[in-house]
Amino acid sequence: MDKKKRTKILGGIVAVLLLGIAVFFGGFRVTSVKVEGNTAHTDKEIKKMVLQGSLASNTILVRFLNPSEKTKDDQFIQKVWIERTSSHKLTIHVREKELIGYTKFLDGYLYFDKEGIVQVSTTKELARNHTKELKNIPFIEGLGQKKVQVGQKLSGLTDEILGMLLSATKMMESSEQHPDRIVIENGALTMYFSEIEVKLGTEKNISDKISKMLGILPQLEGMQGVLDLQNVDSTTETIVFKKSETQKSTEENQNE
């Protein structure tokens, strides 16, 4: 085979390879990325953390990324994985730590799970940023915590208190009603929704109390006062709502 033929064959092989490369990178170029399961971070933040480097632009090569390694230092994330849903589309799945509440501690905040174990410890600034997204995780006051580390149980969270918090958070998951804060005092719970104070009392009949509360709160929108559910059970028909003096004064002025 003479030199001219070899050059032609070599040129043809190179052309085929270049065409194959162009098809590979063009045909599997990432054009759409969906993020699921994230609440502590925005979609943009998750994408920035996970999709780093040239491999991230191709739906085939992206499988060689190690998203869990890239997010291992983030306190709120437990696991991340990438799914290729089409030749141009990816879905990033995020599994966050299961947190049911957070409380102030020194100059920061502690986030705890359903066992009362501290999973996340943040500075005040970081907590403020995350709380904008973690809308369904209530702020808890009154635990009286003096010393604790990540991995340890909050001493102020008794089994009774944890049981009440779990019942409340589970029942409110699918509801639009979420407390601004929850105060624990002498084993009793009080929730605050804007200008409404809801006294839930102890763990007795807590599910009935939460159910009644969720039914009544929409009717109290824009009002101020105290909703007393401490002695409520499934048979209770009369619920006491005591309007604040400010609310009474406003209504009196409107009626004049």
Side-chain angles (χ1 to χ4, degrees):
M1 185 182 294
D2 58 30
K3 185 176 180 181
K4 191 174 182 180
K5 273 190 175 181
R6 286 199 302 271
T7 301
K8 277 188 175 182
I9 292 172
L10 184 59
I13 292 172
V14 171
V16 170
L17 287 174
L18 289 175
L19 179 61
I21 292 172
V23 170
F24 178 75
F25 283 98
F28 298 98
R29 181 170 57 89
V30 176
T31 60
S32 174
V33 179
K34 183 180 180 182
V35 183
E36 294 183 346
N38 55 310
T39 57
H41 297 283
T42 64
D43 290 1
K44 185 178 180 180
E45 289 171 336
I46 293 294
K47 292 175 185 177
K48 186 176 180 180
M49 280 190 280
V50 173
L51 300 177
Q52 299 177 26
S54 57
L55 298 179
S57 62
N58 186 279
T59 57
I60 299 294
L61 297 179
V62 77
R63 71 178 62 183
F64 296 106
L65 290 176
N66 188 347
S68 291
E69 178 66 23
K70 297 177 185 295
T71 57
K72 67 178 183 180
D73 294 327
D74 189 276
Q75 295 187 85
F76 290 91
I77 295 176
Q78 183 174 330
K79 184 179 179 181
V80 176
W81 67 99
I82 302 173
E83 178 188 8
R84 176 175 173 263
T85 54
S86 77
S87 56
H88 296 288
K89 297 180 180 180
L90 299 174
T91 297
I92 301 175
H93 297 276
V94 181
R95 181 183 298 162
E96 296 178 337
K97 294 176 181 178
E98 295 184 14
L99 307 171
I100 68 164
Y102 72 105
T103 188
K104 191 176 186 306
F105 181 66
L106 299 178
D107 294 327
Y109 294 86
L110 302 174
Y111 293 77
F112 55 90
D113 63 16
K114 62 183 179 181
E115 304 294 333
I117 306 297
V118 175
Q119 295 292 338
V120 177
S121 175
T122 70
T123 62
K124 189 173 183 178
E125 184 61 33
L126 283 174
R128 186 183 297 115
N129 292 336
H130 283 300
T131 303
K132 294 176 183 177
E133 302 298 327
L134 296 169
K135 296 177 181 177
N136 294 347
I137 300 181
F139 176 64
I140 315 295
E141 295 180 3
L143 294 180
Q145 195 64 42
K146 294 182 179 180
K147 184 178 180 182
V148 71
Q149 297 177 351
V150 172
Q152 295 180 341
K153 183 175 180 178
L154 288 164
S155 59
L157 284 173
T158 63
D159 291 341
E160 291 77 13
I161 294 297
L162 271 174
M164 285 193 286
L165 289 176
L166 283 171
S167 295
T169 53
K170 186 175 182 179
M171 292 180 71
M172 289 189 290
E173 276 180 353
S174 58
S175 168
E176 295 182 359
Q177 306 294 338
H178 299 286
D180 301 320
R181 60 192 176 101
I182 298 176
V183 176
I184 299 171
E185 186 175 8
N186 298 322
L189 253 62
T190 301
M191 293 188 179
Y192 292 84
F193 299 81
S194 186
E195 300 295 325
I196 302 294
E197 176 183 341
V198 182
K199 292 183 177 295
L200 293 167
T202 60
E203 64 174 335
K204 185 178 180 181
N205 301 318
I206 189 65
S207 294
D208 294 325
K209 296 172 185 177
I210 298 295
S211 180
K212 296 281 188 184
M213 178 188 76
L214 294 177
I216 295 172
L217 281 176
Q219 304 173 42
L220 302 178
E221 187 174 352
M223 299 185 72
Q224 302 174 23
V226 179
L227 180 62
D228 193 345
L229 301 175
Q230 296 179 86
N231 299 311
V232 164
D233 60 26
S234 60
T235 64
T236 303
E237 295 182 1
T238 302
I239 305 294
V240 177
F241 176 67
K242 184 178 180 181
K243 297 177 182 178
S244 67
E245 293 303 318
T246 302
Q247 181 74 45
K248 291 178 182 178
S249 177
T250 301
E251 291 181 353
E252 289 173 358
N253 291 334
Q254 290 175 344
N255 294 328
E256 289 180 357

